[in-house]
Amino acid sequence: MDRREFLKMLGRFSVAAGMAALAGGRRPLFAQAHGTSAWDLAAVMGGEPGDMFDAGIASFGGMPSFVKPGQSVCIKVNASWNAPPERGATTSPSLVERIVRRCREAGASRIYVLDHTIENAKLAFSSTGIEEAARTGGAQIVPANSRGYYQELSVPGAQRLKSVMVHELLLETDVFINVPILKHHGSTTITSAMKNLMGVIWDRGYYHANDLHRCIAEFPLLVKPDLNVVDAYTVMNSGGPRGFYSGSDLSVRRMQIISPDIVAVDAAAARTWGTEPEKVRYIELAHGFGLGESNLEALRINRIRV
């Protein structure tokens, strides 16, 4: 069953919740790899964004494992701010270009790059370099700044986010790829894959007024990306989510985290940023809803140095 068929059935089915956390000792995210070719997550470090993506996606059989010939693709980036990419507030344009290119090579018929930006969309997509990267790779930037682009859907099993206005592109495309930037956030400690999905809804204010962490965790009960690629090349350690024009606390880490499991990539992102997954409430909530695995020690992680 594809995502569109699933969404049509939401009114008839609910999502079961509840997955117990697994016990296990702590160890570094980029430690020795498991001796297996079947991976839950790829943790890549040491290269440029495009090269790290190529190394990481190979762990899952390459882009053809996610995109089939003739399919349409929606790529959700973080382009929210009118800021240059070196500020660490938005997704690296070179990573966007590489993902678009690999989707095209896999046979995608149409590729769209989407974000409901916080600052002016035209300026944000231009100054971040994402507009040029998308077009160079062969994708189209999709507008998201009008309520007319959104459809209201019920969220099965949700307690706070019982309905939400979702961008129509998520309902019309075959493959959904989520490409957030890892950075500090004043309200949630970090922003990564699950929080990046706030850029596909119309009303962010509802989240902030109705238990932000729970709304973030409940949205994937409705829609989960097929693939998540966390950009941790330049990481904003404080002052997020926007950062400052000068003097931001940034670190160039040259890292990337890739998985179909949105909870797993956020757990790994938390550890990479410098906190434990259980200290980020929306990660633990989503794990409890059965949306993915937050215990990194339970995952088969391919640790790659480029």
Side-chain angles (χ1 to χ4, degrees):
M1 179 188 301
D2 64 24
R3 187 172 64 256
R4 286 178 294 180
E5 290 172 338
F6 170 75
L7 289 168
K8 292 175 183 176
M9 298 175 66
L10 288 179
R12 290 179 284 158
F13 292 90
S14 62
V15 175
M19 176 183 289
L22 300 176
R26 299 294 182 193
R27 57 193 178 87
L29 178 60
F30 293 93
Q32 181 64 37
H34 290 280
T36 176
S37 58
W39 308 106
D40 299 311
L41 181 147
V44 193
M45 68 182 303
E48 294 303 303
D51 296 334
M52 287 193 291
F53 176 73
D54 284 344
I57 198 66
S59 304
F60 305 99
M63 191 59 84
S65 295
F66 300 93
V67 179
K68 306 303 180 187
Q71 288 188 318
S72 56
V73 181
C74 174
I75 300 174
K76 169 59 178 77
V77 299
N78 187 327
S80 275
W81 307 103
N82 180 16
E86 58 268 20
R87 202 164 92 196
T90 54
T91 307
S92 298
S94 59
L95 174 58
V96 176
E97 191 276 337
R98 187 64 60 90
I99 293 173
V100 170
R101 189 176 297 278
R102 295 298 179 242
C103 288
R104 181 69 66 197
E105 291 171 355
S109 58
R110 291 167 291 136
I111 307 167
Y112 303 103
V113 172
L114 171 70
D115 192 19
H116 183 191
T117 64
I118 295 173
E119 295 186 323
N120 178 275
K122 184 175 178 61
L123 293 176
F125 273 107
S126 175
S127 61
T128 59
I130 291 175
E131 180 177 23
E132 181 180 358
R135 291 179 175 168
T136 298
Q140 175 184 341
I141 299 291
V142 175
N145 57 352
S146 170
R147 188 185 180 95
Y149 296 122
Y150 295 80
Q151 298 182 32
E152 186 168 6
L153 296 173
S154 297
V155 181
Q159 294 182 12
R160 289 299 183 94
L161 192 68
K162 293 185 178 180
S163 66
V164 63
M165 297 285 289
V166 180
H167 197 285
E168 62 189 8
L169 193 63
L170 268 68
L171 314 180
E172 297 171 357
T173 50
D174 300 303
V175 181
F176 179 26
I177 300 176
N178 186 25
V179 193
I181 183 86
L182 170 61
K183 57 182 175 178
H184 170 257
H185 194 282
S187 299
T188 57
T189 305
I190 64 164
T191 177
S192 184
M194 275 186 278
K195 193 173 184 308
N196 195 48
L197 299 185
M198 289 179 71
V200 303
I201 68 164
W202 175 247
D203 185 9
R204 289 185 180 89
Y206 180 88
Y207 277 43
H208 287 277
N210 291 275
D211 191 342
L212 177 60
H213 281 270
R214 190 171 190 94
C215 287
I216 291 169
E218 287 183 344
F219 181 81
L221 292 168
L222 175 65
V223 179
K224 281 200 301 182
D226 300 291
L227 178 66
N228 303 276
V229 183
V230 178
D231 178 5
Y233 188 91
T234 299
V235 176
M236 184 186 295
N237 304 307
S238 64
R242 190 178 188 276
F244 309 105
Y245 284 102
S246 61
S248 290
D249 180 14
L250 302 177
S251 56
V252 178
R253 303 196 189 185
R254 296 177 181 265
M255 295 180 181
Q256 202 170 107
I257 306 162
I258 305 174
S259 178
D261 185 332
I262 196 168
V263 180
V265 292
D266 272 1
R271 183 82 62 83
T272 298
W273 186 81
T275 192
E276 293 302 320
E278 59 268 24
K279 293 184 178 180
V280 181
R281 181 166 161 256
Y282 68 78
I283 296 176
E284 287 301 284
L285 284 169
H287 175 98
F289 297 156
L291 291 169
E293 179 57 72
S294 66
N295 179 11
L296 296 174
E297 284 65 41
L299 298 172
R300 296 162 297 179
I301 301 175
N302 192 11
R303 298 166 173 88
I304 304 167
R305 184 177 292 273
V306 176

